[in-house]
Amino acid sequence: MSVVYLNGEYLHRDEARVSVNDRGFVFADGIYEVTPAYSGRLFRFEHHLARLRKGLAAIGIDYGAGAIEDVKHGLLARNGLDDVPVAYVYVQVTRGVAPRSHAFPDPPVPPTVYGFANQYHRASMDVWEQGTKAITTGDQRWARADIKAIALLPNVLAQQAAVDAGVSNTIFVRDGIALEGSHNNMFAVFGGVLATAPKSNYILHGVTRDFVIELAGELGIPVEERAIPLDELYRADEVFFTGTTTEVRPAVEVDGKTIGDGKVGPVARQLFERFLAVTGS
Ligand code: PDD
């Protein structure tokens, strides 16, 4: 969409300018957040804000983020996204503009705050029912994958590997343990029990992940937050991904191996139906 937010102003995206000395540009020194909006209503905004604040604190950027809710609403309204079924709003905060030097600018400079909003086009139910395919890759990320840093090169390379392989997603594997997707969390079903990697520094603590665990609780589906070895993942009855830009999306093949009977399973379906009902979308 065409109106973006930059440092207190709403501008046409072609008019927005960021300095080449911005530490986001030079060092990928910043934090981002993507929040979904259903018919203009931000979903679980407080959770996204809390994670943004935690990330900013973890990397020492002093920004209260109090204006972020208004910015997100402002972007939805100005881009005509208040009435669309699903949109998402991106905000990133970098450490600001200063001559290149690794240590933080001293004295500190104002952070750069940038945001945009887009419509989300959900796959049709027919396409959803076909499931997706995934591959795996060694996890090359730093050991703070819980921080939603804008430094996403390993995620970019992982997702490009998926594109090159003609599949939809890549699963990060560390020490034989399947952790999460390149841009989403991962769940597997074993004998009716839902499993997902526990919250640690090796995965992003997804807001959608928490939501889906809650939905599973409501539906009486048992959940185990535990390590999933890759060889066990191949033997899962179901595998699916969750995330703001993924919602709930099953995979029926991982590394060329068929998952379960190769069809989308009942747990993913139940959870997605519930997801649609609760979000009113
Ligand atoms: N990605 N894991 C990773 C590595 C992610 O990048 C994301 C989100 C998630 C899911 O988090 P949530 O449910 O809070 O969206 C898990 C965003 C959407 C992105 O990079 O665009």
Side-chain angles (χ1 to χ4, degrees):
M1 295 284 140
S2 55
V3 178
V4 302
Y5 172 89
L6 183 64
N7 297 329
E9 282 185 285
Y10 292 96
L11 302 159
H12 191 278
R13 69 165 168 248
D14 296 340
E15 285 161 12
R17 295 277 179 274
V18 179
S19 166
V20 290
N21 271 341
D22 193 276
R23 290 179 63 100
F25 180 57
V26 177
F27 289 121
D29 184 358
I31 298 291
Y32 77 108
E33 200 51 59
V34 192
T35 310
Y38 298 100
S39 303
R41 292 184 312 276
L42 293 171
F43 185 70
R44 301 220 156 181
F45 171 73
E46 298 70 25
H47 301 243
H48 287 278
L49 182 64
R51 187 172 61 190
L52 179 71
R53 288 199 162 125
K54 219 166 140 185
L56 291 170
I59 70 165
I61 292 182
D62 185 12
Y63 176 66
I68 294 294
E69 186 166 9
D70 282 350
V71 168
K72 294 212 169 201
H73 282 299
L75 285 168
L76 289 169
R78 285 171 173 79
N79 286 291
L81 295 171
D82 276 337
D83 299 321
V84 304
V86 195
Y88 61 85
V89 195
Y90 176 98
V91 166
Q92 74 170 43
V93 182
T94 75
R95 201 178 305 279
V97 178
R100 187 178 184 278
S101 172
H102 285 66
F104 299 174
D106 184 15
V109 293
T112 301
V113 184
Y114 164 61
F116 68 85
N118 270 336
Q119 185 165 1
Y120 173 78
H121 297 282
R122 180 181 287 149
S124 71
M125 241 8 233
D126 284 352
V127 170
W128 191 92
E129 279 290 346
Q130 287 164 22
T132 63
K133 296 177 182 176
I135 54 171
T136 62
T137 189
D139 194 347
Q140 311 273 12
R141 297 175 298 169
W142 68 329
R144 289 304 309 270
D146 56 318
I147 297 176
K148 206 163 171 56
I150 60 172
L152 286 173
L153 190 51
N155 308 61
V156 166
L157 296 178
Q159 189 55 25
Q160 186 57 38
V163 170
D164 292 345
V167 302
S168 309
N169 205 359
T170 297
I171 299 166
F172 287 121
V173 178
R174 186 184 282 265
D175 298 330
I177 305 298
L179 290 167
E180 63 175 338
S182 65
H183 57 289
N184 35 36
N185 291 113
M186 190 198 73
F187 287 77
V189 181
F190 300 94
V193 179
L194 198 49
T196 194
K199 284 182 177 170
S200 75
N201 53 310
Y202 291 127
I203 66 161
L204 189 79
H205 303 181
V207 175
T208 323
R209 173 190 178 283
D210 284 349
F211 177 42
V212 164
I213 289 174
E214 281 173 37
L215 296 180
E218 288 166 25
L219 291 165
I221 301 165
V223 181
E224 287 178 352
E225 295 180 57
R226 64 163 175 93
I228 306 171
L230 180 57
D231 53 0
E232 193 188 350
L233 184 73
Y234 293 146
R235 288 181 272 111
D237 303 319
E238 298 182 35
V239 171
F240 62 88
F241 298 99
T242 66
T244 296
T245 54
T246 302
E247 302 192 320
V248 177
R249 203 76 203 265
V252 294
E253 195 182 294
V254 176
D255 286 341
K257 296 173 177 50
T258 302
I259 299 301
D261 62 4
K263 297 202 171 72
V264 167
V267 175
R269 189 177 297 111
Q270 254 185 303
L271 286 166
F272 189 44
E273 281 167 3
R274 186 87 179 171
F275 179 103
L276 296 177
V278 174
T279 57
S281 62

